[in-house]
């Protein structure tokens, strides 16, 4: 018994002594937390260099784009082929990815030898051999009659410009086939497969083994967005935001980046932590100066014996401890680089805390007894704000290639379906010319006495017969009624310097007044005017007044406006069919406190034109592109059959929102437009407005999103209650989502506010849908506007014409692309017109006062005659 204790003591002491000696000897291989944090920061800097277009050539960490743009989402299904070429044998697999709610992958595979004469011979023969083996596999598995997509794992350095292309940079691992370097290996294999006429295979993806690892694990865990290999070689890949990858065009979405991190330090960045042993090892390697720092030993005694040594126990203990130190250093270095990647992911997502999964493969990680534990511990210490799960990959590279192919296949099929929907909103040049010409015909119908009753574009005379000429001056009141708020303004116009000063007060119109009697509504309006006059100290002044009344009216003179019908939630009784100016005068009489000179009843579109006309004498068109959609312009009196007289001009309020109500836009009217129309307050009416105005664009987008979700192309096929809610998708969201400055992350946040839990891919599709709907709206506006400027040019008999359009409305002002597309469309469809666009400032207030001032000036001139 004593002997046993003695032996135990001897071995413990021996172990202690040997460990102390080794520790002293290999002191420099131990890396402190501080050093690891420093290495982590260095690696982050190298990643940034690798991602930059200008800095990439000198970066040691190459950050290669893989063109893998999405991880599996679980909806992948079907049969896929996978080829793995890169070792002493190559493998062909058939991978069955099944759906049915559960993630399930079944694989059948076969290994084929890679004889020396093939891998060192002619490149054409190599690919013909691979194609022959593939054909043999497909015959054996009875797959010859099927058209199957294929993923190729090609474990050699390649430059990719798309997923299904790879230019071989150099052979490694004993491969030396001639004539392949600098060529696309996918097209070489595709050409070789053409020799087999019964082989119908599409190569959809060329994949690196690290990417394969990430994709295999991502199929089992959707949080997986990093792949790491720690084996004979080492590497990592992760999903990077496209906006950070300078080497690839486009900012939308994400792409997997293959870091090629094994070369970290080739530029001397790790020189301070390299030891004399590293330098000796490097000089003896096949590629001195390349791929530092990974080495590990497996079983001490066996290996030492295999090396022809006769190790003592002390030797084994020492060697084992050396191995521990070397492998711990390896795990530490991998952990530091991995921590840098995880930090980058967290910062990209702007999260305080990141939850993610790392897919891992490689013999060192799988077989070494302590390695995984050490790696996990150090990673968690370096990034305490990341919750990391490590997932071991099963048949990573080949199954991964099939997964990449399955995802590519899914995205391809989805892309086709999405493009089919978006194509409905793409207007050709021919269609736009047709719309412009139809609008022109409708203008003529509306202006002529005989056809006016049937015209969809009403072309209402406004009795505004002149533009400001700069001589206008005085104080004017303006009223602005068009929604739940009512404004009263005092506008002071000074001649000569063309200066306008405005003072206004906003009053609420309660619901019970909006939906009460006409008398109550106009009494309320007069009460608000009285409060304003008191407030401004103007109680006794009899000021000329312009009344902006933004509801459909038929005018018989500038100060007479018969309400056709209420809109925007107003339902006051005894108003429709009545003159609103008379109703206002009656209410002023009832109050019997003051008198006002009501000069003009004004439409906000006309006000917009007048405001801009005050600044620019070329302005003869007013355009509203906001919640509503309308246009007015100055027409020759001789063309207006509804009003007597041929001299001079008059402003026509087109009320073009009804364009298309006669079916002339049916060829571009989509199922989504029909759904929006059917759910509106006035089905079958205002077709053009419903395709162009801000009030409806968000609703069109919502209908498309519902349909795409039903097809399983969005939001994992789940239609949320919020998405079913009419009016939830406000047009302001279109402007926000389409903003170039907005990262997809922020798009996802907007969608989350709407109760839509979206992936990165969903966000891209939503952005595309918004873009298609708003682009069509801007083009339709452009076609309508081109019709009017061409008409004005021809009416004046001009070869070329300069004209200014006064514009107002949130869509034009706030949407990031709307105004540009509208201008481009007008330029294309009216090339002989030089059209300037001028933003209006308060058309309904300032514009109403200017119309009043011009009317007073014209009245004065008439009296003087």
């Amino acid at each position: 018994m004593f002997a046993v204790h003695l032996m135990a003591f001897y071995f413990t002491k021996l172990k202690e002594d040997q460990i102390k000696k080794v520790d002293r000897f290999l002191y420099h291989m131990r890396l402190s937390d501080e050093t690891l944090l420093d290495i982590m920061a260095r690696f982050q800097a190298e990643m940034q260099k690798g991602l930059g277009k200008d800095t990439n050539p000198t970066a040691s960490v190459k950050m290669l784009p893989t063109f893998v743009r999405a991880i599996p989402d679980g909806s992948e299904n079907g049969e896929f082929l996978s080829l793995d070429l890169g070792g002493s044998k190559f493998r062909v697999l058939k991978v069955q990815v099944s759906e049915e709610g559960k993630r399930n992958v079944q694989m059948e595979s076969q290994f084929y030898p890679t004889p020396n004469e093939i891998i060192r011979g002619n490149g054409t023969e190599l690919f013909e051999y691979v194609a022959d083996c593939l054909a043999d596999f497909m015959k054996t598995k009875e797959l010859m009659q099927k058209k199957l997509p294929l993923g190729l794992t090609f474990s050699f350095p390649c430059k990719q410009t798309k997923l299904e292309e790879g230019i071989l940079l150099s052979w490694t691992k004993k491969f030396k086939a001639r004539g392949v370097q600098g060529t696309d290996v996918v097209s070489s294999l595709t050409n070789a497969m053409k020799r087999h006429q019964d082989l119908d295979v599409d190569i959809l993806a060329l994949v690196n083994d690290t990417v394969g690892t990430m994709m295999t694990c991502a199929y089992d865990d959707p949080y997986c967005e990093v792949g790491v290999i720690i084996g004979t070689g080492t590497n990592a890949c992760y999903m990077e935001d496209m906006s950070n990858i300078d080497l690839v065009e486009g900012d939308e979405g994400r792409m997997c980046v293959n870091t090629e991190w094994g070369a970290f330090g080739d530029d001397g960045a790790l020189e301070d932590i390299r030891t004399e042993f590293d330098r000796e090892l490097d000089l003896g390697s096949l590629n001195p100066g390349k791929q530092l720092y990974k080495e590990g030993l497996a079983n001490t005694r066996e290996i030492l014996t295999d090396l022809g040594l006769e190790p003592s126990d002390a030797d084994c203990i020492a060697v084992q401890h050396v191995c521990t130190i070397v492998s711990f250093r390896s795990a530490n270095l991998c952990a530091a680089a991995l921590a840098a990647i995880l930090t980058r992911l967290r910062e990209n997502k702007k999260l305080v805390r990141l939850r993610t999964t790392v897919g891992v493969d490689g013999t060192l990680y799988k077989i070494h007894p302590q390695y995984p534990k050490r790696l996990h511990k150090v990673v968690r210490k370096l990034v305490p704000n990341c919750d990391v799960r490590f997932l071991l990959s099963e048949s990573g590279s080949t199954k991964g290639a099939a997964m990449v192919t399955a995802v590519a296949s899914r995205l391809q099929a989805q892309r086709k379906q999405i493009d089919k929907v978006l194509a409905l909103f793409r207007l050709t040049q021919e269609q736009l010319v047709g719309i412009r010409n139809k609008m022109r015909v409708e203008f003529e119908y509306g202006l002529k006495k005989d056809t006016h009753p049937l015209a969809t574009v009403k072309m209402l005379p406004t009795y505004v017969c002149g533009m400001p000429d700069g001589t206008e001056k005085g104080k004017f009141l303006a009223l602005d009624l068009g929604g739940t708020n009512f404004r009263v303004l005092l506008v002071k116009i000074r001649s000569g310097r063309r200066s306008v000063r405005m003072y206004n007060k906003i009053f609420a119109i309660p619901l019970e007044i909006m939906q009460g009697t006409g008398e109550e509504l106009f009494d309320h309006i007069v009460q608000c005017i009285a409060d304003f006059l008191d407030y401004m100290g103007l109680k006794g002044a009899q000021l000329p007044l312009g009344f902006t009344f933004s509801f459909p009216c038929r005018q018989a003179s500038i100060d007479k406006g018969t309400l056709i019908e209420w809109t925007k939630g107003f339902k006051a009784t005894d108003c429709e069919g009545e003159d609103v100016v008379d109703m206002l005068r009656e209410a002023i009489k009832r109050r019997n406190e003051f008198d006002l000179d009501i000069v003009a009843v004004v439409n906000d579109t006309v006000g917009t034109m007048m405001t801009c006309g005050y600044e620019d004498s070329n302005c003869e068109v007013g355009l509203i592109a906001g919640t509503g959609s309308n246009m007015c312009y100055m027409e020759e009196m001789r063309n207006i059959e509804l009003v007597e007289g041929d001299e001079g001009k008059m402003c026509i309020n087109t009320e073009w929102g009804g364009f298309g109500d006669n079916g002339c836009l049916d060829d571009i009217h989509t199922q989504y437009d029909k759904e929006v129309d059917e759910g509106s307050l006035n089905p079958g009416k205002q077709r053009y407005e419903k395709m162009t105005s801000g009030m409806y664009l968000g609703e069109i987008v919502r209908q498309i999103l519902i349909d795409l979700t039903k097809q399983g192309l969005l939001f994992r096929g789940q239609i949320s209650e919020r998405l079913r809610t009419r009016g939830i998708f406000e047009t302001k969201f279109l402007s926000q989502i389409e903003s170039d400055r907005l990262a997809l992350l922020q798009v996802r946040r907007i969608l989350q506010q709407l109760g839509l839990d979206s992936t990165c891919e969903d966000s891209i599709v939503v952005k595309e849908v918004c873009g298609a709907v708003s682009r069509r709206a801007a083009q339709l506006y452009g076609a309508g506007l081109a019709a009017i400027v061409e008409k004005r040019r021809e009416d004046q008999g001009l070869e070329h014409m300069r004209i200014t359009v006064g514009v107002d409305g949130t869509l034009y002002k706030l949407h990031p692309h709307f105004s540009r597309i509208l201008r481009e469309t007008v330029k294309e469809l009216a090339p002989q017109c030089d059209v300037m666009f001028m933003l209006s400032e308060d058309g309904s207030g300032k514009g109403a006062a200017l119309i009043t001032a011009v009317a007073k000036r014209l009245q004065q001139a008439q009296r003087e005659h």
Side-chain angles (χ1 to χ4, degrees):
M1 197 67 189
F2 176 73
V4 173
H5 280 288
L6 195 61
M7 284 297 288
F9 172 76
Y10 168 75
F11 269 109
T12 308
K13 188 77 182 139
L14 174 70
K15 200 170 183 181
E16 257 176 39
D17 290 348
Q18 289 300 96
I19 286 170
K20 277 179 188 167
K21 279 181 198 166
V22 172
D23 278 347
R24 278 199 304 277
F25 194 59
L26 297 181
Y27 172 75
H28 293 294
M29 283 199 165
R30 292 197 175 274
L31 302 171
S32 67
D33 290 354
E34 196 181 335
T35 305
L36 289 177
L37 285 166
D38 182 41
I39 292 165
M40 179 178 152
R42 291 184 218 177
F43 190 73
Q44 277 176 299
E46 273 304 308
M47 286 168 78
Q48 194 59 45
K49 257 178 94 174
L51 288 168
K53 204 170 198 166
D54 301 333
T55 47
N56 176 274
T58 58
S60 62
V61 177
K62 281 300 176 198
M63 306 296 280
L64 304 174
T66 65
F67 297 84
V68 170
R69 295 174 187 267
I71 59 170
D73 70 355
S75 68
E76 292 77 15
N77 70 318
E79 285 182 315
F80 303 93
L81 292 169
S82 180
L83 276 180
D84 185 1
L85 183 64
S88 54
K89 293 177 183 170
F90 91 91
R91 191 177 175 198
V92 185
L93 285 96
K94 185 198 89 166
V95 181
Q96 172 76 48
V97 182
S98 53
E99 198 182 14
E100 295 162 16
K102 49 183 188 285
R103 298 178 178 227
N104 184 12
V105 177
Q106 290 169 333
M107 299 189 289
E108 294 177 52
S109 71
Q110 193 169 328
F111 285 96
Y112 291 90
T114 46
N116 266 343
E117 63 273 18
I118 292 290
I119 65 172
R120 295 178 175 210
N122 180 302
T124 311
E125 287 169 9
L126 168 66
F127 288 109
E128 283 176 356
Y129 174 73
V130 171
D132 291 346
C133 296
L134 177 62
D136 172 72
F137 177 81
M138 291 182 76
K139 278 193 188 100
T140 310
K141 304 290 177 190
E142 297 177 350
L143 299 169
M144 277 318 222
Q145 304 313 311
K146 295 184 177 180
K147 182 177 175 66
L148 294 175
L150 180 141
L152 171 60
T153 302
F154 192 72
S155 303
F156 302 96
C158 279
K159 185 187 176 199
Q160 283 187 266
T161 51
K162 46 188 182 208
L163 183 59
E164 68 284 14
E165 178 190 283
I167 310 295
L168 177 67
L169 298 176
S170 61
W171 284 120
T172 55
K173 313 175 200 173
K174 298 181 183 171
F175 276 69
K176 281 186 183 165
R178 295 184 301 279
V180 183
Q181 247 174 278
T183 66
D184 174 20
V185 294
V186 173
S187 55
S188 299
L189 181 54
T190 304
N191 290 334
M193 289 193 301
K194 283 178 187 163
R195 286 171 62 249
H196 296 269
Q197 289 175 348
D198 48 355
L199 205 60
D200 194 1
V201 170
D202 250 353
I203 304 177
L204 289 193
L206 179 76
V207 184
N208 161 290
D209 53 354
T210 318
V211 181
T213 296
M214 179 188 80
M215 295 297 271
T216 301
C217 294
Y219 185 70
D220 298 320
D221 181 345
Y223 281 99
C224 181
E225 46 194 347
V226 183
V228 175
I229 287 189
I230 305 166
T232 317
T234 182
N235 195 11
C237 68
Y238 72 102
M239 295 300 287
E240 176 60 88
D241 288 1
M242 279 288 287
S243 53
N244 296 330
I245 308 173
D246 283 358
L247 303 168
V248 181
E249 291 275 311
D251 281 346
E252 302 297 353
R254 300 197 303 165
M255 183 182 284
C256 178
V257 166
N258 166 19
T259 65
E260 289 293 342
W261 77 6
F264 177 42
D266 284 2
D267 57 355
L270 296 176
E271 207 51 42
D272 55 326
I273 64 158
R274 288 179 80 206
T275 66
E276 59 190 280
F277 309 111
D278 292 308
R279 291 186 184 93
E280 279 178 34
L281 173 73
D282 181 27
L283 291 171
S285 70
L286 289 172
N287 46 1
K290 306 284 177 198
Q291 307 271 339
L292 297 178
Y293 76 57
K294 294 292 171 294
E295 194 65 18
L297 301 172
N299 187 300
T300 322
R301 190 177 294 276
E302 194 183 322
I303 287 174
L304 293 176
T305 308
D306 283 352
L307 290 172
L309 301 169
E310 292 178 9
S312 66
D313 291 336
D315 294 335
C316 288
I317 290 163
V319 170
Q320 197 171 39
H321 194 54
V322 168
C323 292
T324 302
I325 290 172
V326 171
S327 61
F328 267 30
R329 184 182 68 152
S330 161
N332 285 343
L333 289 168
C334 280
L338 182 54
I341 290 173
L342 296 172
T343 301
R344 186 167 181 90
L345 276 175
R346 185 181 60 77
E347 287 171 356
N348 281 351
K349 295 183 184 201
K350 296 182 172 55
L351 295 173
V352 177
R353 191 162 196 87
L354 173 76
R355 176 187 171 186
T356 194
T357 298
V358 176
V360 200
D361 202 353
T363 46
L364 184 57
Y365 183 87
K366 284 179 172 175
I367 293 166
H368 193 291
Q370 300 301 319
Y371 199 99
K373 200 185 289 180
R374 178 68 186 172
L375 179 80
H376 303 172
K377 185 180 173 184
V378 179
V379 166
R380 288 176 180 132
K381 191 192 285 185
L382 293 175
V383 279
N385 47 6
C386 295
D387 298 320
V388 192
R389 178 187 179 211
F390 289 86
L391 186 59
L392 195 59
S393 164
E394 301 295 330
S395 1
S397 54
T398 30
K399 180 178 168 185
M403 289 320 311
V404 173
T405 310
V407 170
S409 186
R410 164 174 67 82
L411 294 178
Q412 207 176 59
Q414 288 177 346
R415 188 73 257 166
K416 265 185 195 161
Q417 286 173 278
I418 290 162
D419 283 346
K420 200 171 160 187
V421 169
L422 297 182
L424 301 171
F425 290 84
R426 288 197 192 100
L427 300 175
T428 63
Q429 180 74 4
E430 197 181 339
Q431 284 174 314
L432 287 168
V433 168
I435 292 159
R436 178 199 67 192
N437 296 345
K438 286 172 188 173
M439 181 71 92
R440 180 71 184 271
V441 168
E442 287 298 312
F443 289 160
E444 304 300 343
Y445 275 4
L447 287 169
K448 291 195 166 31
K449 213 169 197 167
D450 298 346
T451 49
H452 176 83
L454 297 172
T456 59
V457 178
K458 284 299 174 199
M459 306 298 276
L460 303 173
T462 64
Y463 295 87
V464 171
C465 296
M467 298 295 289
D469 65 1
T471 63
E472 294 78 16
K473 61 175 192 274
K475 291 179 182 175
F476 302 88
L477 276 180
L479 309 180
D480 177 13
L481 180 68
T484 51
N485 287 332
F486 169 63
R487 275 196 314 162
V488 186
L489 302 94
L490 172 68
V491 183
K492 292 181 180 176
I493 303 175
R494 290 168 67 183
S495 64
R497 296 218 322 264
R498 290 194 183 225
S499 91
V500 176
R501 291 181 74 182
M502 294 189 288
Y503 308 88
N504 75 81
K505 204 162 188 211
I506 296 171
F507 300 90
I509 298 189
L511 191 65
E512 63 270 19
I513 298 283
M514 283 168 70
Q515 301 185 353
T517 67
E519 257 190 29
E520 286 167 346
L521 173 64
F522 281 93
D523 284 346
H524 179 76
I525 286 170
V526 172
Q527 172 68 54
C528 297
I529 298 169
D531 289 354
F532 180 77
L533 293 174
D534 266 354
Y535 172 73
M536 296 299 295
L538 293 167
K539 207 54 182 274
Q542 192 180 359
L543 298 174
L545 180 144
F547 184 13
T548 298
F549 188 75
S550 300
F551 300 93
C553 277
R554 195 171 295 284
Q555 286 185 256
S557 67
I558 195 162
D559 64 346
K560 287 192 184 307
T562 303
L563 175 63
I564 296 169
E565 63 178 336
W566 282 120
T567 56
K568 308 175 196 174
F570 277 74
K571 284 183 185 164
T573 57
D574 310 320
C575 295
E576 290 177 0
E578 298 297 323
D579 181 355
V580 293
V581 176
D582 285 348
M583 294 185 82
L584 181 58
R585 285 192 179 123
E586 291 295 320
I588 291 170
K589 267 187 199 160
R590 279 198 298 276
R591 185 156 184 111
N592 200 19
E593 267 183 35
F594 53 83
D595 200 12
L596 295 172
D597 174 15
I598 304 169
V599 175
V601 61
V602 181
N603 165 287
D604 58 349
T605 317
V606 182
T608 294
M609 179 185 76
M610 293 299 268
T611 305
C612 295
Y614 186 64
E615 309 287 336
D616 180 348
S617 57
N618 265 338
C619 182
E620 286 201 343
V621 181
L623 183 72
I624 298 280
T627 312
S629 167
N630 199 12
M631 189 268 293
C632 70
Y633 72 104
M634 294 304 287
E635 177 60 275
E636 306 296 330
M637 280 291 288
R638 65 175 185 270
N639 294 333
I640 309 171
E641 292 186 5
L642 302 171
V643 180
E644 292 201 0
D646 284 349
E647 292 302 311
K649 298 177 190 174
M650 182 185 284
C651 178
I652 292 288
N653 166 22
T654 64
E655 288 293 343
W656 73 2
F659 176 49
D661 289 359
N662 59 358
C664 71
L665 293 179
D666 282 4
D667 59 324
I668 62 162
H669 206 243
T670 68
Q671 69 193 72
Y672 310 106
D673 294 306
K674 288 188 184 82
E675 278 156 5
V676 169
D677 180 46
E678 283 161 15
S680 69
L681 293 170
N682 51 353
K685 292 181 179 174
Q686 300 294 100
R687 283 272 178 94
Y688 186 68
E689 180 168 77
K690 285 170 187 168
M691 293 165 88
T692 56
S693 82
M695 190 166 180
Y696 298 99
L697 297 188
E699 195 52 21
I700 298 171
V701 167
R702 189 181 73 87
Q703 292 295 346
I704 298 170
L705 299 186
I706 286 174
D707 185 42
L708 292 177
T709 309
K710 277 180 187 167
Q711 293 182 51
L713 303 171
L714 270 184
F715 310 129
R716 300 176 184 86
Q718 304 295 310
I719 302 178
S720 67
E721 272 313 305
R722 292 277 285 157
L723 192 56
R724 292 180 204 275
T725 313
R726 188 174 299 285
I728 153 203
F729 211 97
E730 294 170 49
T731 298
K732 70 173 182 186
F733 294 133
L734 268 76
S735 298
Q736 290 171 6
I737 285 169
E738 287 186 68
S739 167
D740 292 329
R741 295 191 306 276
L742 208 63
L744 280 176
L745 203 65
Q746 289 154 296
V747 174
R748 284 176 77 177
R749 287 211 184 116
I750 292 169
L751 294 173
Q752 274 165 356
Q753 284 168 24
L754 298 172
L756 305 172
D757 183 23
S758 70
T759 63
C760 181
E761 287 72 44
D762 290 340
S763 303
I764 295 172
V765 175
V766 171
K767 197 167 181 176
E768 282 185 277
V769 170
C770 291
V773 171
S774 61
R775 182 179 183 80
R776 184 188 68 163
Q779 288 178 316
L780 287 172
Y781 261 103
L785 198 52
I788 212 67
V789 296
E790 274 294 289
K791 175 175 167 38
R792 291 298 297 131
R793 183 183 68 78
E794 287 173 21
D795 284 350
Q796 294 169 67
L798 297 171
E799 182 66 31
H800 193 271
M801 180 185 74
R802 291 189 69 170
I803 191 167
T804 299
V805 176
V807 201
D808 203 352
T810 48
L811 208 49
Y812 188 91
K813 285 179 171 174
L814 302 180
H815 190 282
H817 310 299
F818 189 91
S819 59
R820 173 182 53 78
I821 296 164
L822 191 156
R823 291 194 301 268
E824 285 169 2
T825 309
V826 173
K827 201 170 186 176
E828 279 170 21
L829 298 180
Q832 289 160 275
C833 299
D834 186 3
V835 184
M836 292 282 294
F837 288 81
M838 185 177 187
L839 274 178
S840 160
E841 180 199 339
D842 197 2
S844 47
K846 182 178 172 180
L850 284 165
I851 289 168
T852 307
V854 170
K856 291 297 279 184
R857 172 169 60 79
L858 295 177
Q859 284 170 9
Q860 185 74 29
Q862 262 180 335
R863 279 200 293 273
E864 286 169 6
H865 274 79

